[in-house]
Amino acid sequence: MKSIPRPSTYVQSTMPPLFHRLGLLTASNPLTTILLTLTFSCAIIAGVARTEMDIGYENWYPHKSEAWLNYEYQLEYYGKMNRTEMILVELEPDEVNPHGVLGKEVMLSVFSVHERVVSLQSWSDLCVKQAGGGGQCEGVQSPFMLWNDDIASLSSSTQDEILSTVTTGKQGFVTEVFLGGVVRENGDGKVVAASAMQILYGVHESTEKEKEILKFEKDEFLVICKSEAKTVASSTGAGVYCQAERSYTDESDRAIADDQSLMMFAMILMIGYVSVVLSRKDPVKSKILLSFTIVASVGLSLGVAFGVCGFLGLPFTQMSMMTIFIIMGVGIDDMFVITGEYNRTPEHLPSPERVALALQGVGNSIFYTSVTDFLAFGIGSLIDLPAVSGFCVTAATAVLSVFVVQVTFFAACLGLDGRRIESERYDMVPCWKRVEEGWIERTEENGKRRKEPKDKEGSNGRGGLCTDFSSFLLKPNMAYVLVFLFLTCGSLMGYKGITTIGKGIKISDFLPEGSYVIDFFQVRDRWFGEVDKIEFITTVEVDVGVKEDREKMKRLIVDVEGLDQTVGQADCWYSAFEAYWSSANPGVEMDGATSSDVRAAFTSFMDTTTFVTRYSTSVFLTGSGVVKSSKCGSLFYFASYDTDVALVDMDLARMAAGDTAFAFNYNFLWLERYRIIDKLTLSSLLGCMIGVYVISCLFLDILTASLVVSCVVMINVNLLGFMSMWDVRLKSRAW
């Protein structure tokens, strides 16, 4: 009974003859092969027309996380959040300006900037309108609300009156929201100075007015803010920083444009390098022209990959750009391998046979690396981040594409180049033919005459430095020394990486150097980064006529306001309803009234100005008047300086929401991703290693496959150490 051959033995004996036949077929019919490859590739590349550029935040959030599910719920009931334009002013108190941004001169100077914005007709058309308020804007939030946005009132105030007004405040004014670096007398007394202030402009999100909104942000708001910033700085010394809702996208686009320039430079550099390596002194045997076909090969492979993504509806993101560098490296490496093997074949053989022998010799290796790369990227496509998943799909498709193009298109071009050399045509000008002085005819023993080159220019050769290095590695006991050093260095770097590497991202990672958005975020994080608003969105129906439902709302408000991180009182429609009941029914407890009386009072409350202007867009009712979903807001301290502490804050907010509601803030989406980075990194690495090991066992014996996977694992562990040394944080783009 015959024994069943091992998979690696079967593959190694079956694949080379197939590659030999493929090489012979492509090199014997080069023009047909090139034409078919181009036709097939162009048909798939047509999918690029369906590809959309998408650098939105949504692609970087885990879509199976609790925060994302809450985000979708919030979108379903309340739609997209309004757009926010912001102005930050920074001036730390000193001897010249003892009150900082609260100095009267600074306040008046900044007010002039604010006044220019709100006086725009486009602002009046696009601002967030007061519900039931006759179209009046309510989208502005700033310290100037203390003077009812009246510059005359501010101008007539003395410096001491300005500080007193800020200290006293008014309804809707929260010091921590609008002022940063506040200094008070005796720690908690009168406000005497502040280092920063912020002004918020709410623009109503509208698909119908998208063009007008984008034009207002770019051509009016940012232009006014940036121009006035110079005036304010020169007159008061205060720094003015601006950000529109579109600013981040615009600056990210600029970063992509800068990356495209780098990619063009990298491609030119690679073409130059390949041309130098393939060049020869003999103008006929030189292969500089062949180096340009590798660019065409890579271009076709990338086009096919982007086309497939277009047909699949995957977005083109910043990470998709990284595919170009990966495929350039893979494609050039495959080209060197095939060309090197081709140069080692006997030169007297016809070009098609030499191509066939070259593919027979290295086809298995190229196929093996392509399959393992494809599998690794394929497993990466399962990561719960659309941007990373889309990149992995693009890269996996590109890896397979570059393999197919190399063994067809490039092999055909290599065959054509061999024919050119056989016919003594020059490299860069193949239409010119050299006189046959480079070849001689020899008579063999059987009487046949054959041509061979006078000066056999070796192949790309393994002599010189490579030979010396190989001899060094093969010295007695050198293997033990190298393995010891490899394991020692790897263990040290791995330990450093695992124990000290940072996690998360920096906002500047996606922006070009010197961006005004980076300056804005630095100032905001310095003075306002710790206070944000959390929405508590109820997910259970609340019938105000039922005592148990009212208790749910009371408990929610008490739990939220009881958190140490909560700033002030929660802003909730139910609290306003209780206040309305007390004023309308003095001395009567709601729990002692009938359900119908409470429901009737709630109906009357919904007609009040307070409800219409503040809560009408935050409460959704069923047909029977039961509250189906509602929002209650609360200002909340976030530990922006420590993401791990911020995760604890998020969990506390969720605990306070209980079973009645869920807590939501856009920061939760980032925090959820931060929380799963370790898990995703480990699962991706293990999945890839298992897949690579299985594929390796099909091409190699088990021992060699184990060594390959061990080396790959050690390389990845070492990378963590180097990332830690270079202060590169572990983030989604590092996967």
Side-chain angles (χ1 to χ4, degrees):
M1 181 177 177
K2 293 183 178 180
S3 61
I4 299 175
R6 288 184 302 180
S8 59
T9 303
Y10 177 78
V11 171
Q12 291 173 7
S13 62
T14 305
M15 297 296 290
L18 294 178
F19 280 114
H20 183 276
R21 287 196 289 271
L22 177 62
L24 198 60
L25 178 65
T26 56
S28 299
N29 306 279
L31 296 180
T32 302
T33 302
I34 292 173
L35 181 61
L36 289 175
T37 305
L38 290 175
T39 302
F40 180 75
S41 299
C42 290
I44 300 179
I45 291 173
V48 173
R50 303 179 59 179
T51 303
E52 296 183 359
M53 174 70 75
D54 189 352
I55 57 174
Y57 295 114
E58 290 81 2
N59 292 316
W60 299 95
Y61 300 144
H63 283 196
K64 296 178 183 178
S65 66
E66 179 182 348
W68 181 261
L69 297 177
N70 293 341
Y71 169 71
E72 290 185 321
Y73 182 95
Q74 190 258 162
L75 278 182
E76 179 183 355
Y77 281 93
Y78 304 100
K80 288 187 176 182
M81 301 288 286
N82 290 321
R83 302 171 72 91
T84 303
E85 331 298 350
M86 300 178 67
I87 295 178
L88 296 181
V89 184
E90 181 184 42
L91 181 63
E92 297 188 53
D94 55 23
E95 293 181 358
V96 178
N97 300 286
H99 306 292
V101 295
L102 294 181
K104 182 175 180 179
E105 183 182 356
V106 178
M107 295 281 284
L108 290 174
S109 184
V110 174
F111 196 102
S112 65
V113 182
H114 166 68
E115 197 171 38
R116 282 196 60 186
V117 173
V118 296
S119 63
L120 293 169
Q121 180 60 46
S122 53
W123 163 252
S124 301
D125 296 336
L126 301 173
C127 67
V128 175
K129 302 295 194 300
Q130 189 178 54
Q136 295 180 349
C137 288
E138 69 164 4
V140 179
Q141 300 180 56
S142 75
F144 301 124
M145 70 170 67
L146 298 173
W147 293 271
N148 298 317
D149 281 330
D150 181 10
I151 192 171
S153 177
L154 178 62
S155 299
S156 61
S157 300
T158 64
Q159 181 64 64
D160 190 62
E161 289 173 340
I162 290 175
L163 298 177
S164 298
T165 301
V166 172
T167 304
T168 304
K170 63 181 293 188
Q171 183 178 4
F173 179 82
V174 180
T175 305
E176 292 83 353
V177 172
F178 300 107
L179 298 175
V182 176
V183 179
R184 296 177 181 268
E185 288 182 344
N186 302 321
D188 59 355
K190 180 180 178 181
V191 174
V192 295
S195 298
M197 77 166 67
Q198 66 176 341
I199 307 173
L200 311 178
Y201 301 88
V203 174
H204 180 65
E205 183 69 82
S206 171
T207 305
E208 295 78 12
K209 294 184 177 182
E210 182 178 5
K211 290 184 178 179
E212 292 88 340
I213 292 173
L214 294 177
K215 185 177 185 300
F216 161 75
E217 290 177 342
K218 180 180 180 180
D219 297 337
E220 295 183 291
F221 175 76
L222 288 176
V223 170
I224 289 175
C225 185
K226 290 179 180 180
S227 62
E228 291 292 331
K230 298 178 181 179
T231 304
V232 174
S234 61
S235 61
T236 66
V240 178
Y241 305 88
C242 321
Q243 182 196 242
E245 192 76 26
R246 65 174 292 168
S247 295
Y248 189 87
T249 301
D250 289 345
E251 291 298 280
S252 296
D253 288 342
R254 188 159 70 89
I256 290 178
D258 294 341
D259 291 343
Q260 290 173 341
S261 301
L262 287 175
M263 282 188 292
M264 290 300 299
F265 176 75
M267 292 179 68
I268 294 172
L269 194 63
M270 288 185 175
I271 294 172
Y273 171 73
V274 174
S275 299
V276 171
V277 172
L278 296 181
S279 64
R280 295 290 183 273
K281 291 181 180 180
D282 188 328
V284 171
K285 297 177 184 178
S286 181
K287 290 183 172 61
I288 296 178
L289 192 61
L290 184 66
S291 65
F292 290 95
T293 63
I294 187 60
V295 179
S297 300
V298 171
L300 287 175
S301 304
L302 289 170
V304 168
F306 293 144
V308 169
C309 292
F311 284 122
L312 293 177
L314 298 175
F316 184 87
T317 67
Q318 280 183 318
M319 284 201 70
S320 302
M321 308 288 288
M322 297 172 61
T323 309
I324 298 176
F325 293 100
I326 294 173
I327 300 307
M328 281 290 286
V330 172
I332 289 177
D333 179 67
D334 290 348
M335 182 273 297
F336 278 138
V337 172
I338 296 174
T339 305
E341 187 67 18
Y342 176 88
N343 288 339
R344 285 188 287 275
T345 60
E347 294 189 9
H348 67 275
L349 294 176
S351 179
E353 181 62 26
R354 295 183 69 186
V355 173
L357 290 174
L359 289 186
Q360 179 180 334
V362 300
N364 258 13
S365 300
I366 296 175
F367 182 65
Y368 166 60
T369 56
S370 298
V371 171
T372 52
D373 288 345
F374 173 80
L375 183 63
F377 284 121
I379 293 174
S381 67
L382 302 178
I383 291 175
D384 185 26
L385 287 174
V388 178
S389 177
F391 159 73
C392 289
V393 171
T394 304
T397 308
V399 165
L400 280 189
S401 301
V402 79
F403 167 73
V404 173
V405 170
Q406 291 286 32
V407 297
T408 54
F409 178 83
F410 180 73
C413 293
L414 185 60
L416 280 177
D417 190 71
R419 292 185 182 185
R420 175 191 63 77
I421 294 176
E422 290 175 355
S423 61
E424 287 286 289
R425 296 183 180 276
Y426 290 107
D427 179 21
M428 297 301 292
V429 281
C431 54
W432 289 3
K433 187 174 182 180
R434 185 172 67 181
V435 179
E436 293 196 9
E437 58 183 17
W439 294 78
I440 60 174
E441 288 190 347
R442 293 190 183 278
T443 303
E444 298 181 348
E445 293 180 358
N446 57 10
K448 292 184 178 180
R449 299 180 66 82
R450 65 179 176 84
K451 296 170 65 176
E452 69 176 31
K454 286 181 181 178
D455 179 21
K456 291 186 180 179
E457 263 191 63
S459 58
N460 283 339
R462 305 268 179 157
L465 182 61
C466 292
T467 301
D468 295 339
F469 185 65
S470 300
S471 300
F472 172 75
L473 293 179
L474 295 175
K475 286 182 178 181
N477 300 323
M478 182 54 66
Y480 298 104
V481 175
L482 292 176
V483 171
F484 174 76
L485 291 176
F486 181 77
L487 292 176
T488 302
C489 294
S491 300
L492 291 174
M493 294 302 297
Y495 174 77
K496 180 174 178 58
I498 293 172
T499 56
T500 64
I501 191 169
K503 296 190 300 181
I505 70 164
K506 299 176 181 177
I507 198 67
S508 57
D509 290 343
F510 302 91
L511 300 172
E513 291 185 8
S515 170
Y516 71 91
V517 178
I518 295 178
D519 297 334
F520 174 88
F521 278 118
Q522 288 175 343
V523 175
R524 190 195 67 175
D525 291 344
R526 185 156 54 243
W527 302 112
F528 301 100
E530 296 183 9
V531 178
D532 207 343
K533 185 177 182 180
I534 290 183
E535 302 284 1
F536 292 87
I537 302 177
T538 60
T539 55
V540 297
E541 292 187 353
V542 176
D543 184 349
V544 295
V546 178
K547 180 179 179 180
E548 290 75 12
D549 288 356
R550 295 197 300 270
E551 288 298 327
K552 291 178 183 178
M553 293 303 302
K554 290 179 182 178
R555 186 165 56 252
L556 173 63
I557 295 171
V558 169
D559 289 345
V560 169
E561 293 180 347
L563 292 173
D564 293 336
Q565 292 84 356
T566 300
V567 179
Q569 295 181 329
D571 183 18
C572 187
W573 62 271
Y574 185 77
S575 299
F577 173 57
E578 284 188 324
Y580 172 79
W581 173 272
S582 298
S583 62
N585 303 277
V588 180
E589 293 291 335
M590 195 182 300
D591 291 344
T594 63
S595 297
S596 57
D597 288 342
V598 177
R599 293 190 184 106
F602 183 63
T603 302
S604 300
F605 168 67
M606 289 189 294
D607 293 330
T608 64
T609 302
T610 299
F611 181 86
V612 171
T613 58
R614 296 181 60 185
Y615 303 112
S616 59
T617 58
S618 301
V619 179
F620 281 82
L621 304 175
T622 63
S624 58
V626 175
V627 177
K628 184 177 183 181
S629 179
S630 63
K631 288 197 300 185
C632 297
S634 175
L635 292 176
F636 202 79
Y637 273 113
F638 272 110
S640 59
Y641 56 87
D642 190 329
T643 310
D644 291 315
V645 177
L647 280 172
V648 175
D649 294 341
M650 177 181 72
D651 292 337
L652 288 173
R654 287 175 171 174
M655 289 175 61
D659 298 328
T660 304
F662 65 81
F664 179 77
N665 177 279
Y666 278 102
N667 286 320
F668 289 4
L669 293 166
W670 293 98
L671 291 172
E672 289 274 20
R673 190 182 72 178
Y674 175 86
R675 171 176 277 166
I676 64 172
I677 281 180
D678 293 337
K679 179 182 177 181
L680 288 182
T681 301
L682 183 60
S683 61
S684 300
L685 184 59
L686 288 177
C688 290
M689 291 304 102
I690 293 172
V692 168
Y693 180 73
V694 172
I695 296 299
S696 299
C697 290
L698 296 177
F699 289 86
L700 309 168
D701 61 84
I702 295 178
L703 178 59
T704 306
S706 301
L707 288 174
V708 169
V709 174
S710 299
C711 290
V712 173
V713 171
M714 189 63 72
I715 289 171
N716 280 277
V717 171
N718 286 340
L719 281 176
L720 294 177
F722 283 109
M723 288 170 62
S724 177
M725 290 176 61
W726 295 331
D727 195 27
V728 177
R729 302 169 71 84
L730 184 62
K731 52 194 175 185
S732 53
R733 296 206 300 182
W735 292 328

